[in-house]
Amino acid sequence: MSARAVPGAAPATAAGAPGSGTPGAERAPLAPRARLLPALAAVYRAQLSRARVARIPLLFVATFQSLGIMVLMRGIVHSGEEARAVVAGSSVLVVAFVGLNLLAQYFGRLRAGGGLDHYATLPVPPAAVVLGAAGAYASFTVPGTVFVAVAGSVMFQLPMGQLWVLAAVIPLAGAALAGLGAALGLLAPRQEIATLLGQLGMSAALLLGVLPASRLPEPVAWARDLLPSTYGVEALARAFETRPDWTALGLDLAVCAGVGVVSLAAATWAYRRAALR
């Protein structure tokens, strides 16, 4: 077949190939790289649609697990600081179950099954993949967290006038826990280890978040301060007070936001590291 000249077309010789006359020239990319926000929105919608189908039973498990913990604690805790800690910790535990545990399993499975290779072939920024998945999993926890917080307030007779604080606690604690879960799943050498790390992280959120800080030994209390969900629990517990200390509550949320930024940045780095291997 004879070659036909196309006006304005590039020469048939590849750039940088022998005889091209342009030594050292780089090849043009296959497709322009997608911008962060449109790629983030696309990944978020895809993950959220997938989660609605596959994760609804697990959301029920997370919700009823937290309700069961509050029922058990109701026999030994009646009011005051301890009741606020139990309800706040049980509410944020829903976020930990989905955002930390399930996301660690998801990225561990994605890495083991070669799913990262699929994302690596797309012109999608690594941050969009991590942030989109983390945002979808955190959003998925909203109904269960709100339900547990309202049910706990009724069970322990706590004021519900400041429950709007959940609008800040859920995304900030969700970002911190989801970033940690994604990093654990991407850094784990095997899928089974990712699952184990996710379970251990959720267990730490359970033991260190639900139990009142005043009841914990001092070394354990230090470990509690290192847990990303602690500051979301503290902020929500302050919201259950009759007269909340808004300055302290705001500081807790600020720390939670800072931890979220660090954990998501670590997850993005872990994604790049795993995708290049």
Side-chain angles (χ1 to χ4, degrees):
M1 181 180 298
S2 61
R4 298 177 60 187
V6 180
T13 308
S20 65
T22 55
E26 297 181 356
R27 293 185 178 183
L30 295 178
R33 194 169 187 82
R35 290 177 297 171
L36 176 62
L37 291 181
L40 172 60
V43 174
Y44 175 82
R45 288 194 301 267
Q47 291 291 340
L48 193 61
S49 176
R50 191 174 183 178
R52 281 200 301 264
V53 176
R55 303 304 181 192
I56 286 179
L58 293 173
L59 178 61
F60 279 110
V61 171
T63 303
F64 285 113
Q65 171 184 261
S66 293
L67 287 174
I69 290 170
M70 289 193 301
V71 170
L72 290 174
M73 295 297 290
R74 187 67 179 87
I76 56 177
V77 173
H78 301 288
S79 61
E81 177 187 357
E82 296 178 344
R84 294 192 293 269
V86 168
V87 177
S90 299
S91 302
V92 177
L93 181 61
V94 179
V95 183
F97 183 91
V98 178
L100 195 161
N101 182 26
L102 296 186
L103 200 58
Q105 295 182 34
Y106 169 74
F107 274 108
R109 184 171 61 253
L110 196 68
R111 180 183 179 184
L116 291 182
D117 297 334
H118 167 70
Y119 279 112
T121 60
L122 300 176
V124 178
V129 178
V130 174
L131 294 176
Y137 275 70
S139 300
F140 189 60
T141 66
V142 172
T145 305
V146 173
F147 181 80
V148 171
V150 172
S153 299
V154 173
M155 190 181 303
F156 289 89
Q157 299 179 349
L158 299 176
M160 291 188 284
Q162 287 80 35
L163 274 185
W164 56 265
V165 172
L166 282 172
V169 170
I170 293 176
L172 294 179
L177 291 168
L180 178 60
L184 292 176
L186 290 166
L187 293 175
R190 291 189 300 170
Q191 180 180 351
E192 296 80 6
I193 296 179
T195 300
L196 175 62
L197 292 175
Q199 292 283 352
L200 290 175
M202 189 199 67
S203 299
L206 166 62
L207 296 175
L208 301 180
V210 174
L211 296 177
S214 59
R215 295 288 189 92
L216 297 175
E218 190 171 353
V220 180
W222 293 341
R224 182 178 183 270
D225 292 338
L226 298 176
L227 194 65
S229 60
T230 296
Y231 302 95
V233 172
E234 291 290 338
L236 184 55
R238 295 182 194 279
F240 287 126
E241 297 176 359
T242 306
R243 294 182 178 179
D245 185 346
W246 295 109
T247 301
L249 193 153
L251 288 174
D252 287 330
L253 291 178
V255 173
C256 197
V259 174
V261 170
V262 172
S263 65
L264 289 172
T268 302
W269 170 83
Y271 173 84
R272 289 196 184 97
R273 179 176 179 271
L276 291 176
R277 286 194 169 188

